[in-house]
Amino acid sequence: MPSRVLVAYDESTQANFALRYALSTHPDAEIRVLHVNDPREWYDTGDVDGYAYEESYRRSQESAERLLEQAEGIAQEDDREITTDIAEGKAAPTIVRYAEEHGFDHVVLGSHGRSGLSRLLLGSVAERVVRRSHAPVTVVRNEQPLPET
């Protein structure tokens, strides 16, 4: 059984399912929830004086903190404690690097379940994490049945 589980977390319903899955499946593991803040999503190319960049960055950090508070609330519902962190970069390589650098032995993340052309055009963070991770990865596509207790 894994002793340190990293859960990649964003604003999706699938991320909530992934967190609930990790909490129920790994009751004795240390669980850390990671939100990757991608500068490409909030960087304004029209920013000349740096103000818009700083303001966008501040708002993105506040949003990430609120999101992680939501994750902590989910863990509290299960009488569990988790740790949280925010990292910056492109989602897939940042998740993989973070897991390796911090010694996680399992990664759990949600998948948006795209297929066909949308998956090809948009790519898949989950697929890239699975291909590059040093640790086993569980991809939760939708609400999974919880194990019997």
Side-chain angles (χ1 to χ4, degrees), residues 6-10 15 18-19 32-36 95 107-110:
L6 180 66
V7 178
Y9 197 76
D10 62 15
L19 176 56
R32 181 168 304 161
V33 175
L34 175 69
H35 176 74
V36 178
I95 293 164
V107 178
V108 177
L109 69 160

Side-chain angles (χ1 to χ4, degrees), residues 50-71:
Y51 174 77
Y53 175 84
E54 290 175 9
E55 181 63 20
S56 295
Y57 176 77
R58 183 188 61 74
R59 282 194 304 249
S60 72
Q61 287 296 105
E62 289 173 355
S63 176
E65 289 168 6
R66 283 191 303 274
L67 196 61
L68 293 175
E69 287 173 4
Q70 176 183 326

Side-chain angles (χ1 to χ4, degrees), residues 19-45:
L19 176 56
R20 291 180 194 282
Y21 176 86
L23 291 166
S24 65
T25 306
H26 305 290
D28 298 323
E30 170 195 342
I31 294 184
R32 181 168 304 161
V33 175
L34 175 69
H35 176 74
V36 178
N37 201 349
D38 189 342
R40 297 174 305 161
E41 294 178 8
W42 45 263
Y43 178 71
D44 181 0
T45 57

